[in-house]
Amino acid sequence: MSAEANPQLALRPMLPGEAPMLAEIFRASIMELTQDDYEVEQQEAWAAAANNEAAFAKTLADHTTIVATMGGSPVGFASLESDRKVGFLYVHPAAVERGVGTLLADALEKIAAGRGAKHLSVDASDSAFDFFNKRGYAAQQRNSVRCGDEWLSNTTMKKTLPGPETVQ
């Protein structure tokens, strides 16, 4: 296989001015990957969180945000809203099943553990529940979250992280 047919995945910090591209990834991920678990109105309300790109950019800048690239182009992003909580983890639909989500989740877990967190939690959408469950996150509670005029369900999940001496 040539490098172009199987571009290399890489991670880097979010760059200034990148929020519009990440907002597109966020919206595409929601609209194309959650349709089995959420109604169209719920998806639209959820995706609308990125419509105010200045506010979306500020939120990402306030978090520790990393970007996954494939062949140099952003294909996903993830963030820690605190050292113990995942804020975002979204992969563009065209990059699903290529290891992007795993790469991002691995990085968040290592960053959190390196900062001394003993656990990492996430409010996983119904669509992301299995992904986090397979990574060792355990369900803690079900939530109903108001998004615009819609209610969305998710599950707070928690994973015990390795101690700093075992982080590689």
Side-chain angles (χ1 to χ4, degrees), residues 80-87 112 115-122 137 157-159 161:
L80 290 174
E81 76 178 57
S82 74
D83 290 344
R84 293 176 304 280
K85 185 165 186 196
V86 174
R115 292 177 175 176
K118 296 188 184 339
H119 299 93
L120 189 59
S121 69
V122 62
Y137 288 77
M157 303 179 80
K158 187 167 149 181
K159 178 179 183 174
L161 300 175

PDB file of all heavy atoms in Angstrom, residues 80-87 112 115-122 137 157-159 161:
ATOM      1  N   LEU A  80     -10.006  17.340  27.281  1.00  0.00           N
ATOM      2  CA  LEU A  80     -10.251  17.158  28.711  1.00  0.00           C
ATOM      3  C   LEU A  80     -10.800  18.476  29.217  1.00  0.00           C
ATOM      4  O   LEU A  80     -10.161  19.519  29.062  1.00  0.00           O
ATOM      5  CB  LEU A  80      -8.951  16.832  29.456  1.00  0.00           C
ATOM      6  CG  LEU A  80      -8.330  15.471  29.199  1.00  0.00           C
ATOM      7  CD1 LEU A  80      -6.979  15.366  29.901  1.00  0.00           C
ATOM      8  CD2 LEU A  80      -9.252  14.354  29.660  1.00  0.00           C
ATOM      9  N   GLU A  81     -11.997  18.443  29.799  1.00  0.00           N
ATOM     10  CA  GLU A  81     -12.532  19.677  30.373  1.00  0.00           C
ATOM     11  C   GLU A  81     -11.939  19.905  31.755  1.00  0.00           C
ATOM     12  O   GLU A  81     -11.934  21.025  32.251  1.00  0.00           O
ATOM     13  CB  GLU A  81     -14.047  19.723  30.356  1.00  0.00           C
ATOM     14  CG  GLU A  81     -14.756  18.908  31.373  1.00  0.00           C
ATOM     15  CD  GLU A  81     -16.257  19.070  31.276  1.00  0.00           C
ATOM     16  OE1 GLU A  81     -16.844  18.818  30.206  1.00  0.00           O
ATOM     17  OE2 GLU A  81     -16.860  19.450  32.290  1.00  0.00           O
ATOM     18  N   SER A  82     -11.446  18.830  32.362  1.00  0.00           N
ATOM     19  CA  SER A  82     -10.648  18.896  33.590  1.00  0.00           C
ATOM     20  C   SER A  82      -9.722  17.693  33.541  1.00  0.00           C
ATOM     21  O   SER A  82      -9.836  16.859  32.642  1.00  0.00           O
ATOM     22  CB  SER A  82     -11.538  18.853  34.829  1.00  0.00           C
ATOM     23  OG  SER A  82     -12.048  17.547  35.043  1.00  0.00           O
ATOM     24  N   ASP A  83      -8.824  17.572  34.490  1.00  0.00           N
ATOM     25  CA  ASP A  83      -7.907  16.436  34.483  1.00  0.00           C
ATOM     26  C   ASP A  83      -8.620  15.115  34.716  1.00  0.00           C
ATOM     27  O   ASP A  83      -8.025  14.053  34.532  1.00  0.00           O
ATOM     28  CB  ASP A  83      -6.817  16.618  35.551  1.00  0.00           C
ATOM     29  CG  ASP A  83      -5.852  17.727  35.172  1.00  0.00           C
ATOM     30  OD1 ASP A  83      -5.824  18.132  33.994  1.00  0.00           O
ATOM     31  OD2 ASP A  83      -5.116  18.181  36.069  1.00  0.00           O
ATOM     32  N   ARG A  84      -9.887  15.177  35.112  1.00  0.00           N
ATOM     33  CA  ARG A  84     -10.625  13.956  35.421  1.00  0.00           C
ATOM     34  C   ARG A  84     -11.872  13.756  34.560  1.00  0.00           C
ATOM     35  O   ARG A  84     -12.656  12.860  34.815  1.00  0.00           O
ATOM     36  CB  ARG A  84     -11.004  13.944  36.905  1.00  0.00           C
ATOM     37  CG  ARG A  84      -9.798  13.830  37.826  1.00  0.00           C
ATOM     38  CD  ARG A  84     -10.160  13.907  39.290  1.00  0.00           C
ATOM     39  NE  ARG A  84     -10.894  15.109  39.677  1.00  0.00           N
ATOM     40  CZ  ARG A  84     -10.329  16.306  39.904  1.00  0.00           C
ATOM     41  NH1 ARG A  84      -9.036  16.457  39.783  1.00  0.00           N
ATOM     42  NH2 ARG A  84     -11.068  17.332  40.258  1.00  0.00           N
ATOM     43  N   LYS A  85     -12.084  14.607  33.547  1.00  0.00           N
ATOM     44  CA  LYS A  85     -13.306  14.477  32.752  1.00  0.00           C
ATOM     45  C   LYS A  85     -13.068  14.786  31.278  1.00  0.00           C
ATOM     46  O   LYS A  85     -12.510  15.819  30.930  1.00  0.00           O
ATOM     47  CB  LYS A  85     -14.400  15.399  33.290  1.00  0.00           C
ATOM     48  CG  LYS A  85     -15.711  15.188  32.556  1.00  0.00           C
ATOM     49  CD  LYS A  85     -16.886  15.774  33.253  1.00  0.00           C
ATOM     50  CE  LYS A  85     -18.145  15.375  32.513  1.00  0.00           C
ATOM     51  NZ  LYS A  85     -19.283  16.153  32.867  1.00  0.00           N
ATOM     52  N   VAL A  86     -13.527  13.853  30.430  1.00  0.00           N
ATOM     53  CA  VAL A  86     -13.487  14.055  28.985  1.00  0.00           C
ATOM     54  C   VAL A  86     -14.557  15.076  28.627  1.00  0.00           C
ATOM     55  O   VAL A  86     -15.709  14.956  29.053  1.00  0.00           O
ATOM     56  CB  VAL A  86     -13.748  12.721  28.239  1.00  0.00           C
ATOM     57  CG1 VAL A  86     -13.861  12.952  26.735  1.00  0.00           C
ATOM     58  CG2 VAL A  86     -12.671  11.701  28.567  1.00  0.00           C
ATOM     59  N   GLY A  87     -14.190  16.066  27.845  1.00  0.00           N
ATOM     60  CA  GLY A  87     -15.146  17.064  27.385  1.00  0.00           C
ATOM     61  C   GLY A  87     -15.721  16.704  26.021  1.00  0.00           C
ATOM     62  O   GLY A  87     -16.935  16.690  25.825  1.00  0.00           O
ATOM     63  N   ALA A 112      -4.379  12.581  31.347  1.00  0.00           N
ATOM     64  CA  ALA A 112      -5.028  12.634  32.666  1.00  0.00           C
ATOM     65  C   ALA A 112      -4.206  11.888  33.713  1.00  0.00           C
ATOM     66  O   ALA A 112      -3.971  12.401  34.817  1.00  0.00           O
ATOM     67  CB  ALA A 112      -6.445  12.067  32.578  1.00  0.00           C
ATOM     68  N   ARG A 115      -1.171  13.685  34.779  1.00  0.00           N
ATOM     69  CA  ARG A 115      -1.487  14.823  35.647  1.00  0.00           C
ATOM     70  C   ARG A 115      -1.945  14.369  37.029  1.00  0.00           C
ATOM     71  O   ARG A 115      -2.383  15.176  37.828  1.00  0.00           O
ATOM     72  CB  ARG A 115      -2.559  15.685  34.996  1.00  0.00           C
ATOM     73  CG  ARG A 115      -2.074  16.394  33.748  1.00  0.00           C
ATOM     74  CD  ARG A 115      -3.189  17.183  33.108  1.00  0.00           C
ATOM     75  NE  ARG A 115      -2.706  17.961  31.982  1.00  0.00           N
ATOM     76  CZ  ARG A 115      -3.477  18.686  31.196  1.00  0.00           C
ATOM     77  NH1 ARG A 115      -4.793  18.727  31.406  1.00  0.00           N
ATOM     78  NH2 ARG A 115      -2.971  19.357  30.197  1.00  0.00           N
ATOM     79  N   GLY A 116      -1.883  13.063  37.264  1.00  0.00           N
ATOM     80  CA  GLY A 116      -2.196  12.532  38.583  1.00  0.00           C
ATOM     81  C   GLY A 116      -3.624  12.079  38.801  1.00  0.00           C
ATOM     82  O   GLY A 116      -3.977  11.674  39.912  1.00  0.00           O
ATOM     83  N   ALA A 117      -4.449  12.106  37.765  1.00  0.00           N
ATOM     84  CA  ALA A 117      -5.837  11.653  37.928  1.00  0.00           C
ATOM     85  C   ALA A 117      -5.858  10.140  38.145  1.00  0.00           C
ATOM     86  O   ALA A 117      -5.144   9.400  37.469  1.00  0.00           O
ATOM     87  CB  ALA A 117      -6.673  12.016  36.701  1.00  0.00           C
ATOM     88  N   LYS A 118      -6.655   9.712  39.087  1.00  0.00           N
ATOM     89  CA  LYS A 118      -6.799   8.278  39.356  1.00  0.00           C
ATOM     90  C   LYS A 118      -7.949   7.676  38.555  1.00  0.00           C
ATOM     91  O   LYS A 118      -7.986   6.474  38.318  1.00  0.00           O
ATOM     92  CB  LYS A 118      -7.014   8.049  40.846  1.00  0.00           C
ATOM     93  CG  LYS A 118      -5.806   8.468  41.675  1.00  0.00           C
ATOM     94  CD  LYS A 118      -5.951   8.057  43.103  1.00  0.00           C
ATOM     95  CE  LYS A 118      -4.840   8.507  44.002  1.00  0.00           C
ATOM     96  NZ  LYS A 118      -3.592   8.853  43.467  1.00  0.00           N
ATOM     97  N   HIS A 119      -8.906   8.525  38.146  1.00  0.00           N
ATOM     98  CA  HIS A 119     -10.063   8.096  37.363  1.00  0.00           C
ATOM     99  C   HIS A 119     -10.307   9.121  36.254  1.00  0.00           C
ATOM    100  O   HIS A 119      -9.944  10.284  36.394  1.00  0.00           O
ATOM    101  CB  HIS A 119     -11.329   8.028  38.224  1.00  0.00           C
ATOM    102  CG  HIS A 119     -11.221   7.053  39.350  1.00  0.00           C
ATOM    103  ND1 HIS A 119     -10.809   7.419  40.602  1.00  0.00           N
ATOM    104  CD2 HIS A 119     -11.477   5.717  39.400  1.00  0.00           C
ATOM    105  CE1 HIS A 119     -10.802   6.361  41.376  1.00  0.00           C
ATOM    106  NE2 HIS A 119     -11.204   5.315  40.681  1.00  0.00           N
ATOM    107  N   LEU A 120     -10.949   8.670  35.195  1.00  0.00           N
ATOM    108  CA  LEU A 120     -11.380   9.559  34.131  1.00  0.00           C
ATOM    109  C   LEU A 120     -12.841   9.260  33.860  1.00  0.00           C
ATOM    110  O   LEU A 120     -13.228   8.090  33.752  1.00  0.00           O
ATOM    111  CB  LEU A 120     -10.543   9.342  32.868  1.00  0.00           C
ATOM    112  CG  LEU A 120     -10.736  10.344  31.730  1.00  0.00           C
ATOM    113  CD1 LEU A 120     -10.414  11.775  32.176  1.00  0.00           C
ATOM    114  CD2 LEU A 120      -9.869   9.969  30.530  1.00  0.00           C
ATOM    115  N   SER A 121     -13.653  10.296  33.784  1.00  0.00           N
ATOM    116  CA  SER A 121     -15.074  10.102  33.512  1.00  0.00           C
ATOM    117  C   SER A 121     -15.446  10.745  32.185  1.00  0.00           C
ATOM    118  O   SER A 121     -14.741  11.615  31.669  1.00  0.00           O
ATOM    119  CB  SER A 121     -15.940  10.674  34.640  1.00  0.00           C
ATOM    120  OG  SER A 121     -15.859  12.081  34.656  1.00  0.00           O
ATOM    121  N   VAL A 122     -16.565  10.292  31.655  1.00  0.00           N
ATOM    122  CA  VAL A 122     -17.097  10.817  30.406  1.00  0.00           C
ATOM    123  C   VAL A 122     -18.609  10.701  30.458  1.00  0.00           C
ATOM    124  O   VAL A 122     -19.145   9.746  31.023  1.00  0.00           O
ATOM    125  CB  VAL A 122     -16.524  10.053  29.178  1.00  0.00           C
ATOM    126  CG1 VAL A 122     -16.905   8.585  29.208  1.00  0.00           C
ATOM    127  CG2 VAL A 122     -16.949  10.693  27.867  1.00  0.00           C
ATOM    128  N   TYR A 137     -14.459   1.594  30.682  1.00  0.00           N
ATOM    129  CA  TYR A 137     -15.276   2.561  31.420  1.00  0.00           C
ATOM    130  C   TYR A 137     -16.528   1.847  31.913  1.00  0.00           C
ATOM    131  O   TYR A 137     -17.144   1.091  31.163  1.00  0.00           O
ATOM    132  CB  TYR A 137     -15.680   3.745  30.530  1.00  0.00           C
ATOM    133  CG  TYR A 137     -14.545   4.689  30.211  1.00  0.00           C
ATOM    134  CD1 TYR A 137     -13.580   4.360  29.267  1.00  0.00           C
ATOM    135  CD2 TYR A 137     -14.444   5.919  30.853  1.00  0.00           C
ATOM    136  CE1 TYR A 137     -12.533   5.219  28.974  1.00  0.00           C
ATOM    137  CE2 TYR A 137     -13.404   6.784  30.560  1.00  0.00           C
ATOM    138  CZ  TYR A 137     -12.461   6.431  29.620  1.00  0.00           C
ATOM    139  OH  TYR A 137     -11.426   7.292  29.332  1.00  0.00           O
ATOM    140  N   MET A 157     -19.818   7.624  32.663  1.00  0.00           N
ATOM    141  CA  MET A 157     -18.998   6.419  32.774  1.00  0.00           C
ATOM    142  C   MET A 157     -17.661   6.799  33.395  1.00  0.00           C
ATOM    143  O   MET A 157     -17.208   7.936  33.244  1.00  0.00           O
ATOM    144  CB  MET A 157     -18.787   5.788  31.388  1.00  0.00           C
ATOM    145  CG  MET A 157     -20.089   5.453  30.682  1.00  0.00           C
ATOM    146  SD  MET A 157     -19.831   4.725  29.039  1.00  0.00           S
ATOM    147  CE  MET A 157     -19.450   3.038  29.513  1.00  0.00           C
ATOM    148  N   LYS A 158     -17.034   5.845  34.060  1.00  0.00           N
ATOM    149  CA  LYS A 158     -15.786   6.135  34.768  1.00  0.00           C
ATOM    150  C   LYS A 158     -14.808   4.985  34.581  1.00  0.00           C
ATOM    151  O   LYS A 158     -15.203   3.813  34.584  1.00  0.00           O
ATOM    152  CB  LYS A 158     -16.101   6.330  36.249  1.00  0.00           C
ATOM    153  CG  LYS A 158     -14.974   6.798  37.110  1.00  0.00           C
ATOM    154  CD  LYS A 158     -15.581   7.219  38.445  1.00  0.00           C
ATOM    155  CE  LYS A 158     -14.661   7.006  39.585  1.00  0.00           C
ATOM    156  NZ  LYS A 158     -15.263   7.399  40.868  1.00  0.00           N
ATOM    157  N   LYS A 159     -13.533   5.342  34.426  1.00  0.00           N
ATOM    158  CA  LYS A 159     -12.471   4.350  34.263  1.00  0.00           C
ATOM    159  C   LYS A 159     -11.362   4.648  35.271  1.00  0.00           C
ATOM    160  O   LYS A 159     -10.983   5.806  35.459  1.00  0.00           O
ATOM    161  CB  LYS A 159     -11.896   4.420  32.851  1.00  0.00           C
ATOM    162  CG  LYS A 159     -10.757   3.454  32.602  1.00  0.00           C
ATOM    163  CD  LYS A 159     -10.255   3.559  31.170  1.00  0.00           C
ATOM    164  CE  LYS A 159      -9.156   2.526  30.920  1.00  0.00           C
ATOM    165  NZ  LYS A 159      -8.758   2.502  29.516  1.00  0.00           N
ATOM    166  N   LEU A 161      -7.611   4.792  36.095  1.00  0.00           N
ATOM    167  CA  LEU A 161      -6.399   4.961  35.303  1.00  0.00           C
ATOM    168  C   LEU A 161      -5.204   4.342  36.014  1.00  0.00           C
ATOM    169  O   LEU A 161      -5.181   4.270  37.246  1.00  0.00           O
ATOM    170  CB  LEU A 161      -6.129   6.454  35.066  1.00  0.00           C
ATOM    171  CG  LEU A 161      -7.221   7.207  34.317  1.00  0.00           C
ATOM    172  CD1 LEU A 161      -6.898   8.691  34.267  1.00  0.00           C
ATOM    173  CD2 LEU A 161      -7.389   6.654  32.904  1.00  0.00           C
TER     174      LEU A 161
END
